[in-house]
């Protein structure tokens, strides 16, 4: 942690300014080079592994520092989720699909809940009532804060919709969306929409059952750093569509977004920087012509797969797609409950990576041989 | 010029910190992308041209931003002049060779002059006498300052040893080293070594004959920015060898160099950063495996050619070498005095670059055709 502590590093924009993808890649480059020198293993090949933002870094690092690493496994890396490269509604549409596939009534209850929430919030003592229904620690100032809290839960649930119990963002059962929807659907007849919704999100925010009340301002996933990055270079436009989504229709408003960044961090974003630095609009051609040895893994349940590379680009830039996988499930620890498709796709990844290493040692072996030969002829 | 003016930009290390190769490349990336958008020519291919440091930037930019430019002409780009990639004596050996090939006695006079200079400087009123012999505006404090001034002249002369009159660094005649050596050699018998040396460098520092006295602290080539870069990332170790060089034997002392940087700029260099960022120790393999469409031009009279790429690396990363060329002579304006080899090598460069453009339009034409076909089938 630079600047002595996390508190100090995150204290102001002068130190936060170092929190960029480019700086991260440069740090990795120096770390790997120094580490290999210190370990006297300068000729050892390095393979990059990363999931989510880390997956973007892995792919970008292979593009920018091919001399440092022989290949990259970029898991659930939404490198296309910038500008207008993919439709800006795709993320929330995918989240919505995950709920719809489990239960149409669950999907519909969530879709109907926003209006209900708004009406109840605007009624007599509405915010107080809502705060009680949802067991909030503090009374709401706006319904918006509650909507955001609910939306976040749905999005995170879609990301971690794994077929086995997990504790990535929160302790959760296997197939958590199925559980959430079961809870929403199974409430006794006559239950209100919002009672159902509460029963649903309770699975996400309180699966262990130990939470007395919910604090909406809590930042359990430590997203402060990401918020800064989203306000500088990682501008990912996201809207929700009227038709396909269960979320409130909402169009991404860049001007408003940028003003919020100025207000919160004193910076104005550079929404086009990422595609300038790493390529974007023609990313297939960048990856095809200039990239090699990259695996893009995506699980189609993961809403981030909408901004991912889902098709093979070339012989050595390949896409592995798991229709039933969620956010970087391939990089999670192996468990006994792992379904066959997961075991088998991990094997495919290992096989591809082994190929990179063979290529590397093959090529290097050749060079060593040549050098030895030259030496001999110089001596003779 | 950022920060309002050159004076302000160069005023302290906080603004100087932006003077890096990486920042320059990022600036170019943003400039080119914005320029093309503003001119509604987003699909126009860009070719990078640069000489010397600019040549390094051109080559590095093609490696790091292949999506921004289709190719690069990197003229006299010493991308190997870092760490121990090339022998650290090569620069001054090449300068010395340029003098030796014109006149062995000239070479020897220069080689003998350092001892002479030192002895005279240490004698009674030595520094005053030296200052008079060399028409200096101020009396010398050390002989070292005079040695540096002379060494600089020889190095610059080797860089600009063009076969036609030029005004790149200074107004100079054609084949300036020949002229310098002629002046050194032709002094009347009995002339002292230092009188000969003065007659020689007078060609470089005062070819127009308008200079009354010489100011050693003058910075006619605006090297202040380069000095900063040499103290941060552009650490190019240079020694001069006892055997081959006409310079005083001198071994590069990194510790001393780094301490001077701390003293002068308050920064400690990162001598390994350039090879970490752009590759270096295995640069041929980087260029071969990950580079394409780069021409490395070098003239062998140019001492910077010692750190240049002098051999073809692949079909599209090629070296053009002019045995009689000096520093980025290919990029100088065409003149009527241009020798045939220069005319012809410029033609070769143009032909190669035309090939890049054809490739680009060929590939793009294909993609456009495909898109049109897809549209048709979608409509039908």
């Amino acid at each position: 942690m630079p600047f002595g502590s996390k508190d100090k590093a995150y204290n102001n924009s002068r130190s936060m300014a170092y929190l960029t993808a480019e700086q991260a890649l440069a740090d990795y480059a120096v770390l790997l080079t120094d580490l290999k020198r210190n370990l006297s293993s300068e000729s050892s090949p390095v393979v990059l592994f990363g999931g989510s933002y880390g997956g973007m870094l892995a792919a970008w690092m292979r593009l920018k520092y091919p001399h440092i690493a022989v290949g990259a496994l970029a898991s659930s890396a939404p490198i296309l989720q910038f500008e207008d490269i993919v439709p800006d509604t795709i993320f929330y549409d995918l989240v919505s699909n995950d709920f719809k596939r489990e239960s149409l009534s669950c999907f519909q209850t969530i879709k109907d809940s926003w209006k209900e929430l708004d009406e109840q919030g605007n009624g007599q003592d509405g915010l107080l009532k809502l705060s009680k229904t949802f067991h909030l620690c503090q009374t709401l100032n706006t319904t918006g804060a509650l909507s955001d809290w609910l939306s976040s839960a749905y999005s995170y649930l879609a990301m971690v919709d794994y077929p086995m119990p997990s504790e990535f963002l929160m302790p959760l059962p296997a197939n958590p969306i199925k559980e959430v929807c079961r809870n929403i659907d199974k409430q006794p007849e006559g239950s209100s929409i919002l009672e159902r919704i509460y029963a649903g999100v309770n699975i996400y925010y309180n699966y262990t059952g130990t939470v007395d009340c919910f604090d909406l301002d809590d930042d359990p996933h430590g997203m402060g750093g990401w918020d800064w990055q989203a306000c500088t270079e990682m501008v990912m436009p996201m809207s929700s569509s009227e038709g396909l989504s269960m979320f409130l229709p909402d169009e991404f408003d860049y001007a408003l977004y940028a003003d919020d960044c100025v207000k919160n961090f004193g910076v104005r974003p550079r929404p086009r920087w990422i595609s300038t630095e790493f390529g974007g609009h023609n990313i297939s051609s960048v990856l095809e012509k200039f990239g090699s040895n990259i695996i893009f893994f995506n699980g189609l349940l993961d809403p981030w797969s909408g901004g991912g590379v889902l098709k093979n680009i070339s012989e050595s830039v390949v896409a592995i797609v798991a229709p039933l996988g969620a956010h970087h499930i391939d990089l999670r620890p192996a468990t006994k409950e792992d379904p066959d498709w997961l075991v088998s796709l991990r094997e495919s990844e290992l096989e591809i990576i082994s190929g990179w290493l063979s290529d590397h040692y093959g090529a290097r072996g050749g060079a060593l041989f040549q050098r030895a030969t030259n030496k001999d002829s110089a001596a003779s």
Side-chain angles (χ1 to χ4, degrees), chain A:
Chain A
M1 182 59 65
F3 302 100
S5 71
K6 189 171 173 182
D7 278 352
K8 279 185 192 158
Y10 281 67
N11 184 47
N12 64 56
S13 60
R14 181 158 295 160
S15 49
M16 291 283 272
Y18 289 91
L19 179 48
T20 69
E22 297 74 39
Q23 183 65 51
L25 299 187
D27 287 347
Y28 287 137
V30 169
L31 173 70
L32 290 168
T33 307
D34 283 0
L35 203 59
K36 286 168 68 171
R37 183 178 294 116
N38 291 346
L39 298 172
S40 299
S41 61
E42 278 157 290
S43 57
S44 299
V46 172
V47 175
L48 307 162
F49 293 81
S52 200
Y53 169 54
M56 299 200 278
L57 293 181
W60 290 336
M61 180 141 191
R62 173 63 187 159
L63 284 176
K64 293 285 193 184
Y65 294 85
H67 53 292
I68 304 270
V70 301
L73 170 54
S75 180
S76 300
I79 60 169
L80 306 178
Q81 194 81 45
F82 296 93
E83 300 176 51
D84 57 356
I85 301 171
V86 296
D88 60 4
T89 52
I90 200 158
F91 183 93
Y92 289 116
D93 283 355
L94 288 173
V95 174
S96 304
N97 276 346
D98 287 357
F99 284 78
K100 198 188 251 170
R101 76 188 260 282
E102 295 294 355
S103 154
L104 197 57
S105 64
C106 170
F107 171 89
Q108 197 58 48
T109 304
I110 295 171
K111 195 174 169 88
D112 293 343
S113 70
W114 310 108
K115 200 181 153 210
E116 191 67 25
L117 205 121
D118 205 42
E119 281 178 9
Q120 190 158 135
N122 285 329
Q124 177 97 33
D125 292 330
L127 293 170
L128 189 64
K129 282 181 198 160
L130 279 178
S131 308
K132 281 189 179 157
T133 306
F134 284 90
H135 294 70
L136 306 184
C137 306
Q138 271 109 29
T139 304
L140 285 168
N141 291 322
T142 63
T143 54
L146 181 56
S147 308
D148 287 351
W149 186 70
L150 295 172
S151 295
S152 291
Y154 304 139
S155 299
Y156 286 133
L157 277 161
M159 287 166 61
V160 299
D161 195 20
Y162 301 125
M164 72 286 286
S166 69
E167 299 203 15
F168 169 41
L169 297 170
M170 293 289 210
L172 284 172
N175 302 305
I177 291 184
K178 192 188 287 292
E179 296 303 317
V180 167
C181 280
R182 188 177 292 159
N183 252 17
I184 286 179
D185 290 342
K186 83 170 181 198
Q187 296 304 306
E189 215 161 312
S191 300
S192 76
I193 289 180
L194 295 184
E195 281 164 354
R196 289 176 188 277
I197 294 295
Y198 174 71
V201 296
N202 206 34
I203 296 277
Y204 180 71
Y205 283 119
N206 188 24
Y207 185 60
T208 56
T210 54
V211 180
D212 288 330
C213 67
F214 299 100
D215 179 3
L216 302 197
D217 293 332
D218 201 15
D219 178 20
H221 310 325
M223 296 303 284
W226 181 256
D227 289 343
W228 162 267
Q229 290 184 273
C231 270
T232 50
E233 53 185 12
M234 295 290 173
V235 179
M236 296 175 155
M238 285 187 191
S239 303
S240 56
S241 59
E242 176 82 57
L244 297 170
S245 144
M246 66 185 194
F247 294 88
L248 265 184
D250 181 44
E251 196 146 334
F252 180 73
D253 180 337
Y254 176 69
L256 205 68
Y257 181 95
D259 287 347
D260 270 353
C261 290
V262 173
K263 206 174 69 190
N264 294 335
F265 295 109
V267 288
R268 193 162 283 280
R270 296 195 169 162
R272 295 200 185 100
W273 168 245
I274 287 291
S275 74
T276 303
E277 176 70 7
F278 299 111
H281 296 284
N282 226 332
I283 191 73
S284 302
S285 87
V286 174
L287 290 171
E288 186 185 341
K289 280 164 122 174
F290 311 112
S292 60
N293 294 4
I294 307 178
I295 300 171
F296 287 100
F297 167 80
N298 278 285
L300 296 187
L301 299 186
D302 177 14
W304 291 112
S305 68
V309 174
L310 300 176
K311 286 183 180 164
N312 289 347
I313 302 286
S314 69
E315 215 170 292
S316 77
V317 178
V318 297
I320 292 184
V321 174
L324 297 179
H327 204 48
H328 49 57
I329 189 171
D330 56 333
L331 293 186
R332 296 192 52 76
T335 69
K336 282 180 185 163
E337 296 103 322
D338 289 350
D340 288 347
W341 58 260
L342 180 54
V343 174
S344 131
L345 84 81
R346 284 197 184 117
E347 278 165 8
S348 303
E349 291 180 346
L350 281 177
E351 206 172 304
I352 294 168
I353 294 167
S354 301
W356 300 342
L357 297 178
S358 301
D359 285 352
H360 170 80
Y361 283 114
R364 202 167 60 89
L368 279 176
F369 173 73
Q370 204 179 1
R371 210 178 309 152
T373 313
N374 288 346
K375 239 185 221 161
D376 286 351
S377 56
S380 68

